[in-house]
Amino acid sequence: GTNDLRGTLPASIGNLERLQEIDLSGNSIGGSIPSTIGKLKALRSLDLSVNHLHGTVPVEISMLTELQTLRLSANLFADWKIPAGWKSLTKLKKVFLDSSSLVGTIPDIFGAMTQLSVLALYNNQLEGPVPSLVNTNLSVLELNSNKLSGDIPTLPNTTFSYMFFNNNSFTGGLANINNIASVKVINLAFNNLHGEFWLRDDIMGSLTSLNIAYNNLTSVPESLAPMRKSIIMCSASNNAFKCPVPDWLEKRCKATCA
């Protein structure tokens, strides 16, 4: 954790072969991650987030097959792509790669990680479509602030806390969201989503926050269940809804229609 550590990670870190957890987050560690990190075969958690690490992310991370938590967020890496070799990391439960200079597309490796519960890839330069995530165990999905496009990905039938797709270029409709069990917070704002705004009654009932503003959604069926009175935040402004829209969507979520 945070100790204001400076300097670099030594290659000799690879000699600590029984090490199960590394948490050096929130320091001022520079240099690059040594490739010898791949020798730490017992490692279950690697947290190097919020440092000054630069250079490339070593492919040897794919050798850490016991890894359950990986945090490399908020560093100064050179532009890098998520390696296809990470498909060997089948025990991953939590992946935090936000603000880490990611480019390219999201490979289909995450879809095979059946224990994956948290995937945070926000604030990068990722582009293209998102592969299926239907076989994961996701409860938190943060893909916001990238250049992602295509449909909302196929999602697992799990209970989500957060689902952030905002500030991308997603097109298509909301059909794949209806595959989940429930979600508390969902943000789809600032995309190119179009068609009908409809979510299952039980999903609407589970929401505490909904943001679908700044899209091209065009219709709201009368069958759409109203949100709970206790909802904290709702925004549906700046869409292309045709009249009529439900009263509650107009009053509580600032939806307008023409």
Side-chain angles (χ1 to χ4, degrees):
T2 306
N3 289 298
D4 197 29
L5 296 173
R6 298 168 189 271
T8 59
L9 295 173
S12 57
I13 197 170
N15 298 334
L16 306 172
E17 293 182 7
R18 293 186 181 179
L19 203 60
Q20 294 190 1
E21 181 177 356
I22 294 176
D23 182 358
L24 295 171
S25 58
N27 285 292
S28 301
I29 298 169
S32 55
I33 302 172
S35 59
T36 50
I37 201 135
K39 293 182 178 180
L40 305 181
K41 298 289 196 294
L43 204 62
R44 293 181 183 176
S45 179
L46 175 60
D47 189 349
L48 301 175
S49 58
V50 197
N51 275 290
H52 299 159
L53 292 166
H54 52 82
T56 55
V57 174
V59 293
E60 287 80 4
I61 284 177
S62 63
M63 298 162 70
L64 305 177
T65 52
E66 294 299 313
L67 210 57
Q68 296 177 16
T69 301
L70 175 61
R71 294 176 183 257
L72 300 177
S73 314
N75 275 290
L76 305 172
F77 301 122
D79 288 356
W80 65 294
K81 296 181 179 181
I82 298 168
W86 283 12
K87 65 178 183 291
S88 59
L89 306 180
T90 55
K91 295 183 180 180
L92 275 176
K93 295 179 180 179
K94 297 179 179 180
V95 177
F96 299 85
L97 302 175
D98 47 284
S99 306
S100 65
S101 310
L102 280 172
V103 297
T105 57
I106 299 175
D108 58 9
I109 56 170
F110 297 115
M113 295 177 182
T114 55
Q115 299 179 63
L116 188 65
S117 63
V118 177
L119 181 58
L121 302 177
Y122 63 90
N123 198 25
N124 283 296
Q125 300 290 320
L126 293 165
E127 56 192 11
V130 181
S132 171
L133 296 167
V134 73
N135 293 319
T136 62
N137 192 36
L138 282 170
S139 61
V140 174
L141 179 59
E142 298 177 313
L143 301 178
N144 46 301
S145 303
N146 279 288
K147 299 174 180 178
L148 298 167
S149 58
D151 288 333
I152 298 291
T154 315
L155 297 167
N157 184 17
T158 52
T159 299
F160 280 82
S161 300
Y162 304 102
M163 189 183 288
F164 296 148
F165 294 106
N166 51 291
N167 299 84
N168 279 290
S169 299
F170 286 111
T171 52
L174 307 183
N176 284 337
I177 293 173
N178 283 301
N179 193 46
I180 68 172
S182 64
V183 59
K184 290 180 181 174
V185 178
I186 186 164
N187 193 337
L188 297 161
F190 293 98
N191 279 290
N192 297 312
L193 297 169
H194 58 81
E196 187 175 71
F197 171 53
W198 184 81
L199 296 173
R200 283 194 339 258
D201 291 8
D202 52 336
I203 294 177
M204 290 297 293
S206 68
L207 284 166
T208 59
S209 176
L210 169 72
N211 193 344
I212 55 170
Y214 292 92
N215 279 287
N216 293 308
L217 297 166
T218 51
S219 62
V220 185
E222 290 180 13
S223 60
L224 179 69
M227 301 181 73
R228 294 186 303 182
K229 293 281 194 290
S230 58
I231 186 125
I232 297 164
M233 197 288 262
C234 181
S235 180
S237 67
N238 296 87
N239 275 284
F241 291 127
K242 293 180 177 65
C243 295
V245 297
D247 274 357
W248 66 267
L249 197 65
E250 205 170 344
K251 288 173 181 166
R252 297 171 63 189
C253 311
K254 299 182 174 63
T256 56
C257 62

